[in-house]
Amino acid sequence: MSGTAMQKSESQLSEQTQAVNQHTFTPKVDIWETQDSYNLDVEMPGVDKNGLDVKLEDGVLSILGRVAPDNTVACEKVHSEYETGNYERQFHISEVIDEEKIQASIKNGVLNLELPKRESAKPKRIEVKVG
Amino acid sequence: MYWLDKRLINQLSGLNQLFGELDRSFGSAPRERSSTAAFPKLNAWKNDNSILLTAEVPGVDPQDIELEVQPDKLTISGERHGRAKVEGDSYQRSERSTGKFRRELTLPFRVDSDKVSASCKNGILSISLALAAEEKPKRISVTVRND
């Protein structure tokens, strides 16, 4: 019976902690352009795919990552070098992106985005046929 | 209490790491959130029986992390590999860092080096260290006999 009571108070505590936890960090990014696409690697340790919210609206790419709650609430924090919180960053993209073909994946806390350029925006190559 | 005292001692002796850092990472990352360039950054939690360390290791393959535990020392080392750059690609931002890292920590308590477990999820490394018997609060267990 005391076990159940303990679990209950822990879960209440973790909800409170989440509500109080309002830090928002600017994640580090690498951005590179290839002939066909724009690519981003975004560092968001602690975020899984369920915590991700990526939007492209009116040429603004918004990236939001919510950190999954951890289960360390019951312990006493004795040393702290980093704080946890959500990640948020926005970028303007002048190039026309093919929104239907945006690819996103997250691995080891790094989000990878591939934003393919629209056909019309790609450099045109005209093949010369040898007749 | 002990931790506060330890922190004070470290500050007085010019160290800025609570764990008494011996070595520093040699990644090329000057853009950290806080003033130290140590990688990975660590948090620590404690209960009666164990210590839990968590470290931010985004982009590090868990297989590239190596841990070495001694009763009063923990070494975390490894390498964060970057993406192979393709000729013709142009980088517009390059804020993330790669390379080898190593942190050697002196623990302010003795741990049972046989009882260590570690896991890595979403770029967070978690290391659980069982406190050595002499560090645990003493408990007397009472066996109830039903006969």
Side-chain angles (χ1 to χ4, degrees):
Chain A
M1 58 167 193
S2 62
T4 324
M6 176 86 100
Q7 277 167 11
K8 198 173 178 186
S9 78
E10 269 178 30
S11 72
Q12 279 168 354
L13 195 61
S14 86
E15 277 167 32
Q16 270 180 7
T17 312
Q18 274 176 272
V20 172
N21 193 352
Q22 300 210 331
H23 292 287
T24 300
F25 298 109
T26 304
K28 288 182 187 175
V29 296
D30 287 352
I31 302 177
W32 69 102
E33 185 185 353
T34 70
Q35 214 167 52
D36 302 324
S37 62
Y38 283 91
N39 300 267
L40 291 89
D41 277 341
V42 189
E43 265 183 18
M44 298 194 283
V47 176
D48 63 17
K49 66 174 183 176
N50 300 318
L52 275 177
D53 193 357
V54 181
K55 273 189 306 195
L56 179 61
E57 250 173 7
D58 302 326
V60 177
L61 175 71
S62 306
I63 300 164
L64 175 66
R66 291 182 191 87
V67 167
D70 57 35
N71 52 4
T72 50
V73 177
C75 307
E76 178 199 359
K77 199 175 193 180
V78 290
H79 179 68
S80 180
E81 291 176 1
Y82 71 89
E83 300 199 66
T84 52
N86 297 333
Y87 301 92
E88 201 171 356
R89 202 157 173 184
Q90 293 190 322
F91 298 97
H92 285 273
I93 299 178
S94 54
E95 192 106 29
V96 186
I97 299 297
D98 193 342
E99 292 174 31
E100 300 297 310
K101 290 183 185 160
I102 294 176
Q103 299 275 332
S105 63
I106 190 159
K107 192 183 169 193
N108 297 331
V110 179
L111 166 71
N112 174 251
L113 287 175
E114 189 187 341
L115 311 166
K117 296 175 188 171
R118 278 239 174 103
E119 286 300 324
S120 58
K122 288 183 194 172
K124 291 225 167 56
R125 277 227 178 103
I126 298 148
E127 270 187 53
V128 180
K129 285 179 186 163
V130 181
Chain B
M1 267 321 178
Y2 179 71
W3 285 89
L4 285 175
D5 294 342
K6 184 93 179 170
R7 179 175 295 165
L8 190 64
I9 292 161
N10 282 345
Q11 278 172 355
L12 291 173
S13 62
L15 294 171
N16 57 6
Q17 298 298 328
L18 184 56
F19 277 99
E21 187 132 357
L22 301 178
D23 199 1
R24 296 196 160 262
S25 74
F26 37 92
S28 54
R31 291 171 210 251
E32 294 290 343
R33 293 204 282 257
S34 75
S35 56
T36 60
F39 183 91
K41 296 217 178 300
L42 294 162
N43 285 346
W45 284 265
K46 186 176 181 287
N47 63 23
D48 286 351
N49 300 311
S50 61
I51 298 293
L52 176 72
L53 289 170
T54 58
E56 287 190 322
V57 289
V60 180
D61 187 328
Q63 294 190 325
D64 291 331
I65 301 173
E66 210 164 290
L67 298 174
E68 204 186 300
V69 185
Q70 287 168 275
D72 61 347
K73 207 191 264 183
L74 172 71
T75 306
I76 304 170
S77 60
E79 184 164 7
R80 177 155 59 171
H81 297 281
R83 206 174 265 283
K85 292 194 177 178
V86 178
E87 211 184 307
D89 290 357
S90 67
Y91 271 74
Q92 299 175 354
R93 304 273 164 100
S94 195
E95 299 169 356
R96 305 182 54 226
S97 50
T98 57
K100 289 186 176 169
F101 57 85
R102 181 183 174 87
R103 279 193 80 177
E104 205 169 297
L105 311 162
T106 303
L107 304 170
F109 27 68
R110 293 180 76 79
V111 297
D112 186 340
S113 45
D114 292 329
K115 289 182 187 160
V116 177
S117 64
S119 64
C120 201
K121 195 182 166 192
N122 302 327
I124 305 279
L125 170 68
S126 303
I127 307 164
S128 177
L129 303 152
L131 288 176
E134 70 262 27
E135 300 276 2
K136 292 180 190 172
K138 288 223 169 67
R139 272 192 195 139
I140 299 147
S141 64
V142 179
T143 316
V144 179
R145 281 195 202 159
N146 288 319
D147 54 5

